[in-house]
Amino acid sequence: GEGPSVPRKRAEVILAENPPAYQVGSRIRVFYNARDWFVGHLTEFDEASGEWEIVYGEGDRDAMRLPDADAVLLPPPELLVQAVEDASADIRRGLKALARRGDT
């Protein structure tokens, strides 16, 4: 038969163990004009200038030195999905516990 099930790690644990890094393909959110956030991907690092090229969803390109106060690395999308699933499971468990309390 199958062995005992091993609980999967929660998204926040995975993120703590593997924080986003500045590397080609990383997703990044950049704040512009003191009011707008734009999400893009790091596509290339220029060692001569020390700048990363960022390509945004609309195809616009920018270059900036990182880290920067106006830029935040984002976790991979699949980790965000897992975080939502983890939170939903927590809510379901909490509702079940409340329902059991009401039965006593």
Side-chain angles (χ1 to χ4, degrees):
E2 294 180 24
S5 65
V6 176
R8 73 175 183 173
K9 288 185 180 180
R10 293 183 56 89
E12 64 262 21
V13 173
I14 295 170
L15 187 57
E17 292 174 350
N18 304 290
Y22 297 108
Q23 59 190 21
V24 170
S26 291
R27 291 173 0 109
I28 191 164
R29 184 174 67 171
V30 181
F31 193 55
Y32 277 106
N33 302 326
R35 67 176 196 271
D36 297 315
W37 286 100
F38 294 93
V39 175
H41 288 84
L42 300 179
T43 58
E44 185 178 344
F45 180 70
D46 183 330
E47 290 191 31
S49 69
E51 294 182 326
W52 281 93
E53 180 182 61
I54 303 168
V55 176
Y56 299 95
E58 311 81 34
D60 293 334
R61 295 176 178 272
D62 191 12
M64 68 186 315
R65 289 178 176 265
L66 297 170
D68 184 285
D70 289 334
V72 177
L73 282 174
L74 299 174
E78 61 273 10
L79 197 55
L80 296 175
V81 169
Q82 182 179 335
V84 169
E85 291 170 353
D86 292 347
S88 296
D90 291 346
I91 291 168
R92 284 192 301 278
R93 279 191 295 279
L95 290 173
K96 285 180 183 177
L98 285 174
R100 279 193 302 273
R101 254 193 243 158
D103 291 341
T104 58

